[in-house]
Amino acid sequence: MVRLGFTISAALALSACMQAGTVQEPRNTGRGIAAKLHTGVTKAEADVALGFDAGYERNPNDFDEACASYAYDVGDKTEYVHAVFRQGQLTRATDGHLTLCTYAAPAE
């Protein structure tokens, strides 16, 4: 009976990990700005929370996904929150970025 309980617990934990890989809560990478958002908010709701985006780009390989960059000042420099939306809802957000989010290939 204990073994069955352990097996069920392990299966549930594994299931939660697999789901967490596809949808992530906004993550604070230094400034805490991304924490103003939560998974599932719309682009309009993110605009209200963070101000209008400084850049918005659709993923050319998957038009259901887009990334918006929200600017905020840190002393004498500007940093950005990268908010990724899938089918119009936030799936993940991180802050502390020095450039706008983009799907373009990096320059070599």
Side-chain angles (χ1 to χ4, degrees):
M1 189 66 162
V2 173
R3 188 176 262 174
L4 177 62
F6 178 75
T7 303
I8 291 172
S9 297
L12 290 173
L14 181 59
S15 173
C17 289
M18 291 171 65
Q19 289 175 351
T22 59
V23 177
Q24 301 172 353
E25 284 297 317
R27 181 171 56 101
N28 175 5
T29 57
R31 306 290 178 201
I33 307 300
K36 293 181 179 181
L37 303 176
H38 61 85
T39 302
V41 300
T42 65
K43 170 80 168 61
E45 292 169 326
D47 289 348
V48 169
L50 299 178
F52 290 103
D53 63 81
Y56 182 83
E57 185 174 345
R58 284 214 180 272
N59 183 341
N61 298 318
D62 182 357
F63 276 19
D64 287 338
E65 182 178 278
C67 184
S69 300
Y70 295 94
Y72 60 94
D73 293 326
V74 179
D76 60 346
K77 67 179 180 173
T78 299
E79 291 185 0
Y80 299 93
V81 170
H82 289 183
V84 177
F85 297 88
R86 181 149 194 78
Q87 296 179 339
Q89 295 187 320
L90 184 74
T91 59
R92 65 184 182 274
T94 56
D95 60 29
H97 300 278
L98 301 177
T99 60
L100 298 175
C101 56
T102 183
Y103 291 100
E108 292 185 30

